[in-house]
Amino acid sequence: MTRRLFRILAALGLAASLCGFALPAHAEKRVALVIGNNDYRNVPKLLKAVNDARTMGDTLKQLGFSVMVAENQSRQQFSETLLAFDRAIEPGDTAFFFYAGHGFEIAGQNYLLPTDVPAATEGQEELVRDASILADRIVERLQNKKARTSILVFDACRNNPFERTGTRAVAGGGGLAPMTQLPEGVFSVFSAGPRQTALDRLSNDDANPNSVFTRTFAKELLQPGENLVQVAQRTRRLVSEMADTIKHRQVPVYFDQMVDDVFLSGLAKDAARPADPPPQKLAALPPVSVPRVPREETANAPIASFSRHNGGWSVVFSFADPTLGISWRMAGNGDFRETGFIDTLDPRTRKRMPNPSIELPSDAAAGTIEVRYVDPAGDMQGPFPVRFDPEAALIRDQRKILDMTATNWLSFREFNGLLVYYTHLVSYRCAIREVRIGIDTAVPNQLLKMPGCDMRDPSAIGAGMPLYMKLAPATQFVSVELTYRDGSVSEIKSFRSATRSNN
């Protein structure tokens, strides 16, 4: 079967190495495509992209993936390889796409460059678009195939490949733009942040065959009991620390639109393994706690939102179907408690609506909330587990507030000169890793020092905290860019001093 598939794909013009690619008949299998491009004809060649693809292929095989490894792809070969990948994916599968090579951002869209991309110059952006692969289109293809989990990893944040001495380069970034608008079920990782370059090596004596990112990421993927977020976070920290040793800034970023935790190398460390699993069954999303949420689509499992306030935590549960009563408890901790009712009638049941919210103390520890409900027939459903991670919930809540109140990030005031206040950013600093500003420039080029986050009282503004800075009276505007705790980067916002508030 493998030899026959190899001949079929070779007949399509794939100058690729196809390694261990098979098509299991059962659903929820794991399939992967890894591509490495070194031998560019018209732009600078790369040294390690092919090795990076081979290493990732070997790593993913160890994790139970059926893997296709493709090397030095022209535009036509790249397209044919993606078609073969499409055919391998069935609804419910876990799909993994890895690309190492040149990437380029034009007008906020990311393009993966095949080996025959032309040597374009200023004003020839359309040539690059037509000759390259749009990264967003790969996401769309995986969505169209109804993959349950889609993981995309790009080790392509290198210098502008179109720069030439004596000519003006194509307008665009030297790396890739953030992919912040991902659909549900998609997780993407970039080897470096915006306007950063990814290191192939740490020094001339660094003989490792892989880039700094890939050597780290591949190793972290094999750590048992780590979910994708933990893998990405550990990779980010380790790569950043290695880059710091040579005074280089490289902070990998990830974008997470997963509903559940995804474990590629074993179960969560605190999860019970199911007894006698079916042989050769590759679960895309192993259970993370007991009891498990029912997997039927009709299950009315709740969605929880967490909000931090001065008194503690508010947790609001949302149910798709009507409920006659809601109760909850912390897993393994006492009896279930009713949430009570609110003074509103549910038009679907013509009964008082159960209170969908509960309160937790400010020092509540991480754990699992078990929720159950009474359905319209009077039957008890559940319990359903809801994970509570105070730090993650705080960061998510504060980031949502920052996104919704972007016009309030800065304010101006005249008091013995021109002052710019960033009190709003300080109030929600726990969601922020870094703030950069630019004074009378659209490029934020200065680091704004922020006070540390105190999880016990995250919104508190203590005495002596810096809340403003003094500007030259002639300052026209200030640009701001936030790097969030998850590594993603905000849009650059500009605030004009002409609209300053005197409050």
Side-chain angles (χ1 to χ4, degrees), residues 48 63 71 129 194 329 410 415 465 500:
K48 296 188 176 183
L63 296 173
E71 301 172 2
R129 290 191 183 99
R329 70 177 181 183
L410 298 184
F415 182 78
M465 284 188 182
R500 56 184 173 264

Side-chain angles (χ1 to χ4, degrees), residues 212-265:
V212 174
F213 169 81
T214 295
R215 72 180 72 166
T216 306
F217 184 69
K219 181 179 179 181
E220 291 303 318
L221 275 177
L222 295 175
Q223 296 298 320
E226 300 290 341
N227 62 38
L228 276 180
V229 171
Q230 292 168 322
V231 169
Q233 289 176 339
R234 284 180 55 83
T235 300
R236 183 177 60 193
R237 178 175 60 81
L238 293 171
V239 170
S240 176
E241 289 174 352
M242 285 190 285
D244 283 344
T245 63
I246 59 171
K247 309 301 182 184
H248 180 81
R249 180 172 175 77
Q250 179 183 349
V251 183
V253 297
Y254 68 91
F255 304 93
D256 178 13
Q257 287 298 327
M258 306 305 302
V259 176
D260 301 303
D261 284 337
V262 177
F263 297 86
L264 295 182
S265 182

Side-chain angles (χ1 to χ4, degrees), residues 48 52 55 155 199-202 206-220 242:
K48 296 188 176 183
D52 291 340
T55 295
D155 193 356
L199 293 169
D200 268 352
R201 57 185 180 178
L202 294 171
D206 185 353
N208 194 296
N210 295 123
S211 72
V212 174
F213 169 81
T214 295
R215 72 180 72 166
T216 306
F217 184 69
K219 181 179 179 181
E220 291 303 318
M242 285 190 285

Side-chain angles (χ1 to χ4, degrees), residues 108-124:
Q109 290 189 303
N110 295 322
Y111 294 86
L112 310 182
L113 307 189
T115 56
D116 56 354
V117 67
T121 57
E122 183 183 26
Q124 296 181 326

Side-chain angles (χ1 to χ4, degrees), residues 394-403 431 484 486 488:
L394 174 65
I395 293 170
R396 188 180 302 113
D397 183 47
Q398 289 201 352
R399 170 166 181 174
K400 181 171 64 176
I401 293 172
L402 286 167
D403 287 340
Y484 294 107
D486 65 1
S488 61

Side-chain angles (χ1 to χ4, degrees), residues 407 410-413 418 420 440 471 474-479 493-501:
T407 56
L410 298 184
S411 62
F412 294 89
R413 182 182 181 188
L418 179 60
V420 59
D440 283 339
L471 301 175
T475 300
Q476 296 297 308
F477 71 96
V478 177
S479 59
K493 306 289 185 182
S494 291
F495 298 83
R496 300 195 66 83
S497 59
T499 59
R500 56 184 173 264
S501 168

Side-chain angles (χ1 to χ4, degrees), residues 444-490:
N445 53 13
Q446 301 181 36
L447 185 64
L448 185 63
K449 185 174 177 59
M450 297 287 287
C453 169
D454 183 355
M455 289 294 296
R456 296 168 300 178
D457 197 358
S459 300
I461 298 178
M465 284 188 182
L467 302 175
Y468 64 88
M469 63 183 300
K470 192 168 184 178
L471 301 175
T475 300
Q476 296 297 308
F477 71 96
V478 177
S479 59
V480 185
E481 179 185 69
L482 307 184
T483 300
Y484 294 107
R485 285 278 293 275
D486 65 1
S488 61
V489 181
S490 73

Side-chain angles (χ1 to χ4, degrees), residues 16-19 32-35 53-54 57-58 61 67-71:
S17 169
L18 303 182
C19 304
L33 168 61
V34 299
I35 295 178
R54 292 173 180 174
D58 292 340
K61 287 178 186 177
V67 182
M68 176 193 300
V69 180
E71 301 172 2

